[in-house]
C-alpha cells in the first residue's frame, strides 16, 4: 500500500473549535462512489493530504460515523463535514491544515484497513504516533475509528 496521509484523525481536536467559531460548509458535495475499498482509501487520503473539503465529504454516506477517543462519535455527513471544515483551517485559525500522517504499518482485513501512523507538522514540537481503522462499504468510507488524542499533541510555542 502506498504511503498514506490520514490527517482527519487530528480532527477530534478541531471539532469543538469549528463548532464554536460557527464555521461550516453551506452545501454538502454529491457522494462519489469508488470502485473498490482500496480506491475509497486512496481517494480519501489524497483528499486529506490536500485538505480538499469537497472530496473528503463526498466519501461519506449519510449514515457514516467517525469514532474518536473518550467516546466521541461524529455521525452523519453534515457533522463529518463540520469536522473536516475545522481540520482544514489554517493553524492560525484553530485548524490543523498542513499536518500529515505517514503510515508506518498497515494491514487489510476484508474491507477494513488498519494503520499505525506518525503525524508531523511544522507547528508540532514533536511527532505524534497513533493508529486508525478505516471501514469501507459499497464504494464509500463508512466509518473510521481512531486512537488519536488531540490533548497529547505537543505544539511549538
Amino acid at each position: 500500500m502506498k504511503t498514506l496521509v490520514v490527517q482527519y484523525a487530528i480532527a477530534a481536536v478541531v471539532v469543538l473549535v469549528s463548532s464554536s467559531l460557527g464555521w461550516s460548509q453551506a452545501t454538502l458535495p454529491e457522494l462519489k462512489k469508488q470502485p473498490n475499498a482500496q480506491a475509497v482509501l486512496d481517494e480519501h487520503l489524497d483528499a486529506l493530504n490536500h485538505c480538499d473539503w469537497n472530496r473528503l465529504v463526498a466519501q461519506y454516506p449519510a449514515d457514516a460515523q467517525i469514532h474518536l477517543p473518550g467516546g466521541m462519535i461524529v455521525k452523519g455527513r453534515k457533522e463529518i463535514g463540520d469536522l473536516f471544515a475545522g481540520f482544514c483551517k489554517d493553524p492560525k485559525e484553530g485548524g490543523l491544515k498542513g499536518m500529515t500522517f505517514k503510515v508506518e504499518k498497515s494491514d487489510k482485513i476484508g474491507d477494513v484497513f488498519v494503520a499505525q501512523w506518525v503525524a508531523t507538522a511544522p507547528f508540532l514540537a514533536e511527532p505524534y504516533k497513533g493508529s486508525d481503522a478505516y471501514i469501507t462499504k459499497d464504494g464509500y468510507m463508512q466509518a473510521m475509528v481512531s486512537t488519536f488524542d488531540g490533548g497529547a499533541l505537543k505544539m511549538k510555542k
Side-chain angles (χ1 to χ4, degrees):
M1 189 181 306
K2 59 183 163 180
T3 299
L4 305 176
V5 179
V6 293
Q7 296 172 329
Y8 64 85
I10 302 302
V13 134
V14 184
V15 72
L16 296 175
V17 173
S18 66
S19 296
S20 67
L21 295 175
W23 195 90
S24 67
Q25 300 290 331
T27 306
L28 294 172
E30 288 186 37
L31 287 171
K32 183 173 181 187
K33 187 173 185 170
Q34 298 298 320
N36 57 52
Q38 184 66 54
V40 171
L41 185 61
D42 291 346
E43 169 64 9
H44 188 75
L45 297 173
D46 188 62
L48 287 167
N49 188 39
H50 294 95
C51 261
D52 186 327
W53 184 87
N54 285 306
R55 287 175 57 206
L56 285 168
V57 180
Q59 293 294 297
Y60 284 90
D63 60 345
Q65 301 181 14
I66 297 178
H67 293 247
L68 300 165
M72 182 178 178
I73 302 172
V74 181
K75 292 183 179 183
R77 293 189 80 219
K78 181 183 180 326
E79 292 77 10
I80 290 170
D82 288 346
L83 184 80
F84 287 125
F87 175 83
C88 287
K89 285 184 173 184
D90 187 276
K92 293 176 185 173
E93 298 174 356
L96 296 169
K97 184 177 182 178
M99 182 173 284
T100 58
F101 290 62
K102 183 176 179 182
V103 171
E104 295 182 321
K105 181 181 177 188
S106 67
D107 292 301
K108 184 177 182 225
I109 304 163
D111 283 348
V112 176
F113 294 88
V114 292
Q116 292 176 305
W117 44 258
V118 60
T120 58
F123 48 83
L124 287 180
E126 63 184 50
Y128 177 78
K129 291 186 175 193
S131 62
D132 293 332
Y134 311 95
I135 298 103
T136 67
K137 181 181 175 188
D138 299 328
Y140 299 107
M141 186 67 75
Q142 188 65 48
M144 190 270 287
V145 179
S146 181
T147 64
F148 178 78
D149 177 2
L153 284 178
K154 294 185 180 172
M155 306 294 242
K156 287 183 179 175
K157 296 182 183 194

